Amino acid sequence: CHLQDNAVAILNQIPGRLAVVGIAGLYRTGKSYLLNRLLGLQDGFEIGPTVNPCTKGLWIWGQPVQLAPDYHCILIDTEGLGSTQRSSSCDMQIFSLCLLLSSYFIYNSMGVIDEQAIDDLHLVLNLAQHIHVKSRRKTEEEKRTDLSLYFPIFLWVLRDFHLSLADEKGQSISEKEYLERALRPNPGHEERYEAGSGDLFRERDCVTIVRPVAEEADLRNIQQVPYEKLRPQFRTQVEAFVKKVYTYLKPKKIDGNVVTGRMFVDLASEYCKAINGSAVPTIHAAWASVVQHQFRLALRDAVQVYRQRMNERAMQHLPMAEEKLRDLHKIAKAEVT
């Protein structure tokens, strides 16, 4: 894993708070299309008509979405999971990075939440083995509790969903309720469902979206079909999805500290180093490195401003009384601190 220079240049220029929407799921399930709708674009992230995955690695859209004067959002598109062109180890790295970097995480899958869908989500269910909050060893339960404090909001998007949502008595239920029911452990499968059922994701929700068109040919070239020509129910559901994401989106934070664009770059770099060294990504270790780097930058800026102040107020007015010089030093030091 390595960071691309042009992406780093874009991220370093983002001021203030930063929200990060990441999407992951099996390949060829329409993840890129959803991100394009979040951007309000018909043609944005690449969408392809074949079985080969379009997206390789993790990509961001080159123009951050401005939510407020000091608040921007970036969208991360990920390489599809389960492709024959990648190993499960590579899938894990891509998925872990997206999850670690996001403040709002979208898991995209096809059809209903059944046993197969839960199995496809095994990357999340086993994620606690591949990420640590701190270096010291902990029990699996403690580790999951720790991780849940750092994990993003979780939204499960079910594509090509055609069933009506109802409970055993035929009463209508919400999408969120459907998710909660599906994630309840079945007798004998408690361990298998435990990690995904809520230990890891405290804030979670679900949306269902019908098939966008009836014709297979149109589906293969969906980006060429005008948005107005798509099924009305699909458009309504996609617009509700976009509204939900932007309503509940939060800035990326670690230990209560807002992550800026520059800090996000440092964080991604530290996670890449850990993965490249075959180490388990450790959130606190990565964050400590980011903080140290910010301290070094702050110190450099502070020294520069101190020299400028002292040059203007003292050096150009020598000779002067030592007491006055000390006073000017104290004032300049207080300002830069």
Side-chain angles (χ1 to χ4, degrees), residues 37 131 228 294 319:
R37 293 321 313 169
I131 298 171
E228 299 72 31
Q294 292 298 312

Side-chain angles (χ1 to χ4, degrees), residues 29-48:
T29 54
K31 299 182 298 299
S32 302
Y33 185 85
L34 283 185
L35 289 183
N36 289 343
R37 293 321 313 169
L38 286 172
L39 286 166
L41 297 175
Q42 177 73 4
D43 194 13
F45 286 103
E46 189 183 356
I47 300 168

Side-chain angles (χ1 to χ4, degrees), residues 142-160:
E142 286 177 320
K143 202 193 289 183
R144 278 199 300 273
T145 303
D146 274 357
L147 279 172
S148 68
L149 299 172
Y150 295 90
F151 270 22
I153 297 167
F154 178 79
L155 180 67
W156 195 335
V157 179
L158 301 169
R159 308 293 290 278
D160 294 5

Side-chain angles (χ1 to χ4, degrees), residues 12-258:
N12 278 335
Q13 291 170 18
I14 301 175
R17 297 171 297 157
L18 182 68
V20 185
V21 176
I23 191 166
L26 296 178
Y27 80 112
R28 311 304 306 146
T29 54
K31 299 182 298 299
S32 302
Y33 185 85
L34 283 185
L35 289 183
N36 289 343
R37 293 321 313 169
L38 286 172
L39 286 166
L41 297 175
Q42 177 73 4
D43 194 13
F45 286 103
E46 189 183 356
I47 300 168
T50 71
V51 295
N52 297 312
C54 276
T55 310
K56 299 286 186 185
L58 279 75
W59 287 72
I60 60 166
W61 189 247
Q63 180 66 46
V65 178
Q66 186 168 4
L67 304 173
D70 68 335
Y71 186 20
H72 292 79
C73 170
I74 60 167
L75 304 176
I76 299 181
D77 194 11
T78 61
E79 183 171 341
L81 309 173
S83 159
T84 54
Q85 298 173 19
R86 292 286 201 191
S87 66
S88 58
S89 169
C90 187
D91 277 355
M92 179 58 74
Q93 291 172 359
I94 289 166
F95 195 93
S96 300
L97 270 174
C98 183
L99 199 59
L100 284 163
L101 294 172
S102 299
S103 61
Y104 195 106
F105 180 76
I106 300 165
Y107 181 71
N108 189 66
S109 73
M110 304 297 282
V112 299
I113 303 179
D114 54 15
E115 193 162 337
Q116 183 60 49
I118 297 287
D119 284 343
D120 288 340
L121 199 60
H122 71 282
L123 289 167
V124 175
L125 304 180
N126 297 322
L127 200 62
Q129 299 168 27
H130 297 267
I131 298 171
H132 290 161
V133 172
K134 295 174 182 166
S135 303
R136 68 187 183 87
R137 298 293 300 159
K138 289 193 162 193
T139 66
E140 287 303 310
E141 190 176 342
E142 286 177 320
K143 202 193 289 183
R144 278 199 300 273
T145 303
D146 274 357
L147 279 172
S148 68
L149 299 172
Y150 295 90
F151 270 22
I153 297 167
F154 178 79
L155 180 67
W156 195 335
V157 179
L158 301 169
R159 308 293 290 278
D160 294 5
F161 190 92
H162 59 274
L163 301 178
S164 46
L165 294 172
D167 61 15
E168 299 82 359
K169 297 176 182 175
Q171 300 291 321
S172 293
I173 57 172
S174 68
E175 293 157 318
K176 182 174 170 59
E177 198 173 344
Y178 171 61
L179 173 66
E180 296 300 334
R181 284 167 175 264
L183 290 176
R184 282 178 197 158
N186 289 334
H189 293 91
E190 285 82 358
E191 280 301 312
R192 197 160 136 256
Y193 284 71
E194 193 177 17
S197 65
D199 286 357
L200 285 176
F201 298 107
R202 294 187 175 185
E203 291 185 64
R204 54 192 182 274
D205 206 342
C206 175
V207 297
T208 60
I209 299 176
V210 298
R211 193 182 177 97
V213 288
E215 297 296 325
E216 288 291 336
D218 288 339
L219 195 61
R220 283 196 294 272
N221 297 286
I222 192 72
Q223 78 277 19
Q224 292 171 16
V225 180
Y227 184 65
E228 299 72 31
K229 294 286 177 69
L230 300 176
R231 291 171 67 188
Q233 188 182 359
F234 173 82
R235 297 203 309 268
T236 301
Q237 289 172 332
V238 165
E239 283 154 20
F241 156 78
V242 171
K243 185 178 179 182
K244 187 183 287 281
V245 171
Y246 282 121
T247 300
Y248 294 101
L249 189 57
K250 292 179 181 177
K252 176 73 177 169
K253 288 184 179 181
I254 294 186
D255 291 339
N257 300 291
V258 170

